[in-house]
């Protein structure tokens, strides 16, 4: 009996070794194909330089829809279609922020209105600035101290976290709620310190929100240098701020997410890989999230070029409206639920086009452990971190349906220097880092398709 058990163990180990060797060879084929022949970098140049930033509802976004559909066809998709989605339309317009010190002179500050913020309808709105360093400090202020004032939420992005997304998550509540909190105590508008890991003066935009029963007042962001200077000025004198902005919501319009797929050879169960096609209206949306779009298209192209016979349908989704509504992701999940289409797995790339460090896994422990058992295959490509338990914003509706979801984890150290700013341009993306990210994504999709 002992000899029989030993023999079975030996045969199983030999089979696993054979499978591992086969997978290692396929991983190398994928890497060699993408690093030598990949088109993601050139496609990102085309998207960012010829279309540029792609705010939902803008003419540029609509151009990017047609661009993505054509790129998916060029990549060899069996089927390409547009999924209808109603998206909010927000426009920035002209805007300015000035401050006046004891000198009596007005000084213009670099600033950006936060996304979805209402403006001043082109009129000057002014008042004295009061500064708080935390929510706790603000809560202690009586309403009469805030009424008719401008509240400056000066909460810094924490430099203590090694993974910068934790610093972003920590500070993001100030961006989201500053206007609402200020309005609840009768303030005129809110200023927030940008969610930035850099020590520069570049303002960062990003989404904020309102409550239906609270007045919709403006919220703007300033860069770290300006925030520090303003803090120092407030220590010694009264400062008045003056805002003039024309931003605001302009209703909704019909738009589209873009979808392309390689039909499964064994069944039609779906494996999703994607990113979001929209961006904010500053910079070029290169890392956020042009990188994820071109990487996802590269996955499909590589399966096609290498002749990999996918068991299940490999579907690329270029989601609409992640930045200020997530309407594309919500609509995709709604449609999948209504049609009863079976989804096996979803992977999103929405953390920049920097060197891949791993994949975050948002699923049950059995699935997590299976994927983590493949980690030796990924190690030669720089991917070692499979510990995260989160996934991309656009695929959360699929997660809520019980679908295992994941997100590519690139090196995060530079991402929040440029996130949601004019600095997010094609020049900030390195070709090999971008293509290595596409390589790890393709390798992961290959393993899911083979084993699930």
């Amino acid at each position: 009996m002992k000899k029989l058990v030993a023999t079975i163990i030996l045969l199983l180990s030999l089979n696993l070794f054979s499978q591992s060797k086969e997978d290692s060879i396929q991983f190398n084929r994928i890497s060699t194909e993408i690093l030598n022949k990949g088109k993601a970098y050139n496609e990102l140049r085309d998207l960012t330089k010829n279309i540029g930033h792609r705010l939902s509802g803008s003419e540029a976004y609509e151009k990017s829809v047609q661009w993505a559909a054509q790129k998916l066809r060029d990549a060899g998709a069996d089927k390409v279609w547009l999924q209808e989605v109603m998206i909010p339309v927000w426009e920035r317009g002209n805007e300015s922020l000035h401050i006046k010190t004891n000198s009596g002179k007005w000084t213009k500050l670099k600033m950006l209105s936060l996304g979805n913020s209402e403006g001043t309808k082109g009129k000057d709105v002014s008042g004295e600035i009061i500064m708080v360093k935390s929510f706790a400090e603000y809560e202690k202020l009586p309403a009469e101290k805030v009424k008719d004032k401008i509240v400056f939420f000066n909460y810094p992005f924490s430099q203590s976290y090694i993974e910068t997304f934790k610093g972003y998550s920590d500070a993001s509540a100030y961006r989201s709620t500053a206007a609402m909190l200020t309005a609840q105590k009768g303030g005129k508008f809110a200023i927030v310190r940008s969610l930035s890991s850099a020590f520069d003066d570049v303002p960062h935009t990003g989404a904020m929100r309102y409550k239906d029963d609270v007045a919709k007042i403006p919220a703007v962001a300033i860069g770290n240098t300006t925030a520090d200077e303003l803090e120092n000025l407030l220590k010694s004198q009264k400062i008045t701020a003056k805002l003039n902005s024309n931003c605001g919501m302009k209703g909704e319009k019909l738009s589209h997410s873009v979808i392309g797929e390689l039909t499964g050879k064994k069944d039609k169960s779906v494996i999703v890989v994607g990113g979001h096609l929209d961006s904010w209206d500053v910079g070029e949306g290169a890392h956020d999230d042009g990188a994820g779009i071109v990487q996802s298209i590269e996955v499909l192209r590589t399966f096609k070029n290498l002749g990999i016979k996918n068991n299940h349908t490999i579907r690329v989704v270029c989601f609409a409206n992640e930045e200020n509504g997530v309407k594309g992701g919500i609509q995709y999940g709604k449609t999948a639920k209504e049609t009863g289409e079976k989804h096996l797995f979803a992977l999103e790339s929405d953390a920049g086009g920097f060197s891949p460090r791993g994949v975050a896994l948002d699923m049950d422990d059995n699935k997590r452990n299976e994927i983590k058992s493949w980690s030796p295959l990924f190690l030669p490509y720089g991917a070692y971190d499979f510990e995260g338990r989160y996934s991309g914003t656009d695929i959360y509706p699929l997660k809520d349906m019980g679908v295992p979801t994941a997100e590519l984890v690139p090196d995060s150290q530079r991402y929040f220097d440029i996130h949601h700013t004019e600095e997010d341009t094609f020049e900030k993306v390195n070709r090999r880092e971008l293509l290595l990210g596409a390589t790890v994504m393709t390798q992961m999709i290959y393993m899911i398709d083979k084993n699930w």
Side-chain angles (χ1 to χ4, degrees):
M1 184 66 181
K2 289 182 179 180
K3 287 185 178 180
L4 177 60
V5 171
T7 300
I8 291 172
I9 292 173
L10 176 61
L11 289 172
L12 287 173
S13 64
L14 288 172
N15 183 49
L16 288 172
F17 175 78
S18 176
Q19 288 182 341
S20 179
K21 184 177 181 181
E22 175 189 331
D23 293 335
S24 180
I25 292 170
Q26 191 68 282
F27 271 40
N28 181 259
R29 290 184 68 218
I30 289 169
S31 174
T32 300
E33 171 70 19
I34 293 176
L35 290 178
N36 285 283
K37 300 179 182 178
K39 295 183 179 180
Y41 187 69
N42 288 336
E43 289 182 345
L44 183 62
R45 178 192 287 113
D46 186 26
L47 177 63
T48 56
K49 295 304 180 185
N50 293 326
I51 296 178
H53 52 69
R54 306 165 298 282
L55 184 63
S56 289
S58 67
E59 182 180 346
Y61 179 77
E62 297 308 320
K63 288 180 179 178
S64 73
V65 167
Q66 299 305 318
W67 178 93
Q70 187 58 52
K71 294 304 177 185
L72 283 164
R73 295 186 193 99
D74 294 344
D78 299 333
K79 181 182 178 183
V80 176
W81 72 99
L82 307 183
Q83 184 173 77
E84 291 187 347
V85 55
M86 292 300 295
I87 61 175
V89 179
W90 179 80
E91 294 179 358
R92 181 175 301 277
N94 295 324
E95 57 187 13
S96 65
L97 176 67
H98 292 79
I99 61 169
K100 183 171 65 174
T101 64
N102 288 345
S103 70
K105 294 181 179 179
W106 287 102
T107 302
K108 187 174 183 179
L109 304 184
K110 290 184 66 174
M111 54 76 74
L112 283 174
S113 292
L114 295 180
N116 293 350
S117 173
E118 291 299 321
T120 67
K121 297 181 172 56
K123 300 177 181 178
D124 289 341
V125 173
S126 62
E128 180 185 352
I129 299 176
I130 56 174
M131 182 184 74
V132 294
K133 301 291 282 281
S134 68
F135 287 138
E137 188 177 334
Y138 182 71
E139 287 171 3
K140 293 177 182 177
L141 290 176
E144 58 266 25
K145 292 284 188 179
V146 178
K147 183 175 173 57
D148 294 329
K149 303 292 198 306
I150 284 78
V151 182
F152 170 35
F153 289 86
N154 189 24
Y155 184 84
F157 187 106
S158 175
Q159 300 293 331
S160 299
Y161 297 107
I162 303 304
E163 184 184 339
T164 60
F165 277 85
K166 292 180 180 179
Y168 178 74
S169 179
D170 172 61
S172 63
Y174 289 85
R175 187 186 71 197
S176 299
T177 63
M180 179 178 63
L181 292 173
T182 301
Q184 285 175 335
K185 293 186 178 183
K188 290 185 175 181
F189 65 88
I191 301 173
V192 299
R193 186 186 187 106
S194 285
L195 277 61
S196 171
S197 53
F199 290 84
D200 59 23
D201 202 31
V202 178
H204 295 231
T205 190
M208 49 82 71
R209 64 176 185 267
Y210 292 111
K211 287 180 67 175
D212 290 339
D213 58 345
V214 178
K216 294 182 179 180
I217 64 171
V220 304
I222 57 176
N224 281 333
T225 302
T226 292
D228 289 339
E229 291 173 350
L230 183 56
E231 178 180 356
N232 287 331
L233 287 170
L234 287 165
K235 290 176 181 177
S236 61
Q237 58 190 298
K238 174 182 173 180
I239 304 294
T240 301
K242 177 175 66 178
L243 176 68
N244 189 304
S245 62
N246 291 276
C247 59
M249 300 299 297
K250 308 296 181 183
E252 292 185 318
K253 69 177 291 187
L254 181 65
S255 191
H256 301 88
S257 296
V258 185
I259 304 173
E261 66 183 30
L262 292 175
T263 306
K265 307 303 185 290
K266 185 176 99 174
D267 61 47
K268 302 301 186 294
S269 299
V270 178
I271 298 171
V272 166
V273 59
H276 64 86
L277 188 55
D278 64 308
S279 74
W280 283 111
D281 60 325
V282 290
E284 296 171 350
H287 279 288
D288 187 22
D289 185 29
I293 292 295
V294 297
Q295 287 173 327
S296 299
I297 296 171
E298 196 74 71
V299 173
L300 187 149
R301 179 185 296 111
T302 303
F303 266 75
K304 191 76 173 181
N305 288 353
L306 292 181
I308 300 173
K309 304 299 182 184
N310 48 299
N311 294 318
H312 315 291
T313 294
I314 308 297
R315 179 175 294 168
V316 175
V317 184
C318 304
F319 293 98
N321 184 238
E322 188 270 350
E323 294 293 8
N324 67 327
V326 200
K327 300 297 186 182
I330 292 169
Q331 183 61 51
Y332 184 87
K334 180 174 181 287
T335 301
K337 189 172 185 178
E338 289 173 349
T339 60
E341 191 173 46
K342 183 179 179 181
H343 282 68
L344 295 178
F345 180 78
L347 170 66
E348 184 162 19
S349 171
D350 183 21
F354 299 105
S355 292
R357 294 290 183 254
V359 178
L361 307 171
D362 201 356
M363 59 195 69
D364 66 52
D365 285 341
N366 287 335
K367 293 292 188 185
R368 281 177 56 83
N369 290 334
E370 181 180 2
I371 292 176
K372 288 169 73 173
S373 74
W374 305 334
S375 60
L377 290 165
F378 289 93
L379 192 56
Y381 305 92
Y384 56 85
D385 182 2
F386 296 88
E387 296 302 320
R389 291 179 177 267
Y390 56 87
S391 53
T393 301
D394 293 297
I395 55 179
Y396 262 92
L398 292 176
K399 174 185 177 295
D400 291 342
M401 293 164 53
V403 177
T405 56
E407 183 166 21
L408 182 70
V409 179
D411 181 281
S412 70
Q413 302 311 313
R414 292 166 285 169
Y415 187 58
F416 291 106
D417 288 6
I418 62 175
H419 183 247
H420 294 174
T421 76
E422 62 187 18
E423 299 290 314
D424 184 8
T425 61
F426 174 75
E427 288 76 14
K428 300 296 193 304
V429 180
N430 175 272
R431 178 185 179 277
R432 284 186 61 85
E433 292 186 32
L434 180 74
L435 293 180
L436 277 171
T439 295
V440 170
M441 291 168 66
T442 307
Q443 291 165 339
M444 179 60 73
I445 298 300
Y446 162 77
M447 291 297 287
I448 296 294
D449 180 63
K450 177 184 174 183
N451 293 285
W452 287 16

